[in-house]
Amino acid sequence: MMKTHKSGLVMLLVLCIGLLSACGSMKEEAGTSSDNPVKNIKLVFWNTSYPTIDANDKTKKKEDFYIYKAIKRYEAAHPGITIDIQDVPDGTNAMTKFQTAGIAKNGPDITNLWSGNYTLDLKQYLQPLNPYLKQEQIDGLTGWSAATENFADQGTIYGIPDGSDGTIGILYNKKLFAEAGIDPEKLSLQNASQFMDMLQKIKDKGITPIGMGDDGDFVYFLDYWFAQMVGTAGINDITTGKMKFNNPTLLHVVQEYIQLYKNGYVTNDQPQTQFYNGKVALIFGGYGYINEARTALGDNLGMFKIPDFSESALVHDGGVGGSGADFVVSKSSEHPEEAVQFILFLLSEEEQIARFKEGYGKLLNVKNVEVSKLTDDQLIIRQQEWANEPSTIFWPDNIYPSELSSYISSLNSLVIKQQLSAEDFLSKLDQKRDEIVAQK
């Protein structure tokens, strides 16, 4: 009996070992061995920038948009990781929502914010990314200073720059300019007075020269004249309070800006729509407007740089632009490394090219990619070239404290209605800036 019982035990032991071996083999085939464990991770992604609705095609399914196709590719290449995409309205509302979530420590793993101080003002809720980035990954992209503390070339990185907005210039209707006898790309406008002379010729033909937004396009236009007159260092000095907004140079800029309205050169009534319909000769804009403008105007669409305010400008023949947004990782994220890897996937050369081909509203910030191989549109190619020129000044409104930028736009809407004088406007900006600096 004992011999038979022992023999049965041996057979049972062999059977169990076989089953355990088979189970181990099955785990390895599924990629769950101890050497390569599958991670069951869900990354919550607040999407503020990728389109998921087509205003011209309400029947378009979400899975047909670029970002959903990109997520599908990523999940297929990374078993066990799922991306939970949640649409969040862009702009200051998104930053307020992110801050609220940061305070409650229940923010998303990943989101996209406006760069510069819009991001850095929220750094207490952000994961510093230096430990998760390799130097070759940093070297492969442009725009890092916009997401690095103190806008330095090196330091604590709080975001990964998301593409490039190009450089804001002037989009114009060639037909309307030709009717006024003007070829702006052959002109060499040296100052605001010469710019106004050109606009007057357009107005004399019964054409409204300029379409601007309700806030007077401060970010696109007036802020560039500010920046080129004081330089990037001057913008930094204004931000810290070392230089006043209300100084003779910027006072002159605002006075000339107001003169555009006094001379009847500007409409604020649906500027883009009027431009696309051939009712307005020019608007201020960059790469993000080109596709729609090209559809509306075809070969009649032209582009040139915003004229210098003065011969004495510190920066000539430029514009504002650069990487105006970045991807960030919440400090509350339990999976920062995986979050960074997903961001880097979206910003890889292959994915940036894929989203570019689908008409997504950003240029590439991958180094050494020739956009001319991706498009025949000469204006888009020129935008990519402009973005890499030293005369392109990083968005000043991203350098100002975010609270100050919002305040500037709200006051500028009063300036263009001539309900606030140039001097009072600049004095109020100094007062607001001083209040913000005192709180730090």
Side-chain angles (χ1 to χ4, degrees), residues 138-205:
I138 295 173
D139 292 342
L141 298 174
T142 63
W144 287 97
S145 62
T148 303
E149 193 161 28
N150 297 322
F151 299 94
D153 292 330
Q154 294 184 335
T156 304
I157 297 171
Y158 287 100
I160 302 178
D162 178 20
S164 172
D165 299 322
T167 300
I168 297 300
I170 289 175
L171 300 178
Y172 74 98
N173 186 315
K174 291 182 179 180
K175 180 175 180 292
L176 297 183
F177 268 68
E179 289 177 9
I182 301 169
D183 183 348
E185 296 183 55
K186 291 183 179 180
L187 294 177
S188 179
L189 302 175
Q190 302 295 315
N191 54 52
S193 178
Q194 293 177 6
F195 181 44
M196 290 194 201
D197 289 343
M198 182 193 78
L199 298 175
Q200 185 62 49
K201 291 179 181 178
I202 297 171
K203 185 186 175 189
D204 289 343
K205 292 295 181 179

Side-chain angles (χ1 to χ4, degrees), residues 52 62-63 65-73 85 87:
T52 57
K62 285 194 172 184
E63 55 265 30
F65 287 89
Y66 162 76
I67 187 58
Y68 283 92
K69 290 187 280 188
I71 288 173
K72 185 176 181 180
R73 288 191 288 269
I85 179 172
D87 289 342

Side-chain angles (χ1 to χ4, degrees), residues 7-73:
S7 174
L9 288 173
V10 170
M11 291 179 65
L12 182 61
L13 182 61
V14 169
L15 179 61
C16 288
I17 291 171
L19 287 171
L20 289 171
S21 177
C23 288
S25 176
M26 289 171 64
K27 283 184 179 181
E28 288 181 8
E29 288 177 6
T32 57
S33 70
S34 58
D35 293 334
N36 185 28
V38 163
K39 304 173 183 178
N40 293 312
I41 292 173
K42 180 176 76 171
L43 297 177
V44 177
F45 170 35
W46 282 3
N47 172 40
T48 65
S49 59
Y50 291 94
T52 57
I53 297 175
D54 188 340
N56 299 316
D57 183 5
K58 300 292 187 181
T59 65
K60 188 173 181 179
K61 298 178 181 179
K62 285 194 172 184
E63 55 265 30
D64 294 329
F65 287 89
Y66 162 76
I67 187 58
Y68 283 92
K69 290 187 280 188
I71 288 173
K72 185 176 181 180
R73 288 191 288 269

Side-chain angles (χ1 to χ4, degrees), residues 9 25 27 35 53 97 133 136-137 141 168 188 206 232 297 302 328 342-343 363 379 389 406 424:
L9 288 173
S25 176
K27 283 184 179 181
D35 293 334
I53 297 175
K97 182 178 176 69
L133 293 166
E136 58 264 31
Q137 293 167 334
L141 298 174
I168 297 300
S188 179
T232 302
L297 298 179
V328 299
F342 174 62
I343 293 169
L363 291 163
L379 299 190
E389 291 176 351
S406 299
D424 286 345

Side-chain angles (χ1 to χ4, degrees), residues 364-434:
L364 283 65
N365 70 321
V366 180
K367 292 182 180 177
N368 303 320
V369 175
E370 294 184 37
V371 174
S372 59
K373 294 182 178 180
L374 308 177
T375 178
D376 294 328
D377 194 313
Q378 293 302 308
L379 299 190
I380 294 177
I381 294 170
R382 199 187 309 172
Q383 271 288 322
Q384 185 75 61
E385 293 171 351
W386 285 2
N388 294 324
E389 291 176 351
S391 58
T392 292
I393 301 170
F394 177 66
W395 297 102
D397 73 299
N398 290 41
I399 299 175
Y400 306 137
S402 55
E403 184 181 352
L404 179 60
S405 291
S406 299
Y407 185 70
I408 291 172
S409 290
S410 65
L411 284 190
N412 198 52
S413 63
L414 300 178
V415 172
I416 64 176
K417 296 173 185 175
Q418 299 173 49
Q419 296 174 0
L420 187 65
S421 71
E423 190 165 8
D424 286 345
F425 171 56
L426 295 174
S427 294
K428 286 180 179 294
L429 299 188
D430 282 325
Q431 182 180 353
K432 185 66 172 180
R433 187 269 327 284
D434 291 345

